[in-house]
Amino acid sequence: MDTVIAGQQQAVPKSVLERVFAILDSFSAGEPELTLAELALRTAIPKPTVHRLAGILTEQRLLKRTDHGFRLGIRLFELGELVTEQHDLRDASLPFLEELFELTHETIHLGVLDGNDVLYFVKIVGYRSFPVPTRTGGRWPAYASALGKVLLAFGPDDPLSLLPPESLQPLTPYTIIDPGRLQRELAVVRRVGTAIESQEAVLGNACVAAPIFDSPGHLVAAVSISGPPLRLRPAQRAPVVRQAAAQITRRISR
């Protein structure tokens, strides 16, 4: 049976593993701490079952008990650090990302394409950084960022197949949500080797990004710098972003 929460139909997870993942997936950057009742509501799992599973997860340090409920536990961080793809790419990229930061003093991102989202591996915050709601380990819709456009342009053969029309929702008045216009923009990105966006993701912020490849020439990730449009001057910053991406490409292609 399905449970309706906040007007949406939510399938009740059946297996123990599905229920464990449902509990862990309930937490977010905006809600890092949840009560037992909130976990039951978000997962559609009976409260006694949530209580039992939360107890086991706490014993295993996957959850941490707080005065008001639960937070994600330190063991998840330990496990995350064992993901070799993230670890190796981050370590190879960091010297060049830090150099790019010293050149620009703007916010630096390194990200990969996961489904139709950008998944951020690294974020270095600028000295006078514009408040961008991104974080290491966080996600952002790929169509609404320069980093995402680079990943879409150089990654899948048919990038728009990842983006059904209903998924193209405006984040600002400048977000490109017309599939035809987005396809033309991705063609430009492939031709010039960088992507630029201005206020499509966040009002008052602009971004320029370039792709990173492995030795066979397959897309691995992308690097970007972002900041207020007048200060960033994305078109003028494009060469240094391409240079950083090329340096990382050479490092991981050895």
Side-chain angles (χ1 to χ4, degrees):
M1 181 178 179
D2 291 337
T3 300
V4 177
I5 298 178
Q8 293 185 339
Q9 201 173 51
Q10 180 178 353
V12 179
K14 295 180 175 60
S15 72
V16 173
L17 193 57
E18 286 175 327
R19 292 180 175 190
V20 166
F21 277 115
I23 290 171
L24 296 177
D25 283 341
S26 296
F27 297 90
S28 67
E31 293 182 296
E33 182 175 346
L34 295 171
T35 66
L36 192 67
E38 288 170 333
L39 286 172
L41 183 66
R42 282 162 173 73
T43 60
I45 301 171
K47 194 172 179 179
T49 304
V50 173
H51 183 270
R52 177 175 59 82
L53 291 175
I56 296 171
L57 292 172
T58 300
E59 290 174 3
Q60 297 299 318
R61 297 184 296 121
L62 296 171
L63 288 182
K64 179 182 179 181
R65 199 180 298 275
T66 68
D67 291 340
H68 304 289
F70 298 90
R71 287 177 174 267
L72 294 176
I74 193 68
R75 193 174 182 188
L76 288 170
F77 172 77
E78 295 177 69
L79 293 172
E81 285 297 294
L82 296 176
V83 180
T84 55
E85 178 185 4
Q86 174 194 1
H87 197 274
D88 294 346
L89 176 60
R90 184 186 62 194
D91 288 354
S93 303
L94 267 177
F96 307 107
L97 300 178
E98 290 168 350
E99 183 178 344
L100 184 59
F101 172 75
E102 291 301 327
L103 281 172
T104 64
H105 292 167
E106 301 289 359
T107 297
I108 311 297
H109 289 100
L110 177 79
V112 301
L113 188 66
D114 187 43
N116 55 9
D117 291 332
V118 174
L119 175 60
Y120 294 104
F121 275 14
V122 178
K123 178 181 181 180
I124 303 175
V125 179
Y127 294 130
R128 300 169 294 158
S129 64
F130 184 86
V132 180
T134 56
R135 61 181 177 87
T136 300
R139 293 174 175 271
W140 196 264
Y143 66 90
S145 72
L147 201 65
K149 290 178 187 178
V150 162
L151 294 168
L152 289 170
F154 290 95
D157 292 333
D158 182 13
L160 290 190
S161 66
L162 299 176
L163 304 170
E166 62 272 14
S167 72
L168 300 176
Q169 299 297 319
L171 304 184
T172 77
Y174 304 98
T175 307
I176 298 174
I177 58 172
D178 175 70
R181 184 183 169 194
L182 183 59
Q183 191 165 36
R184 291 191 296 272
E185 176 134 345
L186 296 181
V188 172
V189 172
R190 283 190 290 271
R191 187 173 72 248
V192 302
T194 53
I196 290 174
E197 63 92 359
S198 183
Q199 304 192 88
E200 296 172 35
V202 177
L203 288 174
N205 187 71
C207 187
V208 55
I212 297 166
F213 302 96
D214 61 14
S215 51
H218 300 136
L219 180 75
V220 172
V223 57
S224 71
I225 58 175
S226 62
L230 293 179
R231 190 177 77 204
L232 183 68
R233 305 186 307 279
Q236 295 180 37
R237 298 287 195 183
V240 296
V241 179
R242 279 197 299 267
Q243 180 182 10
Q247 289 173 319
I248 298 170
T249 292
R250 286 193 292 271
R251 169 66 66 86
I252 66 177
S253 298
R254 291 177 181 174

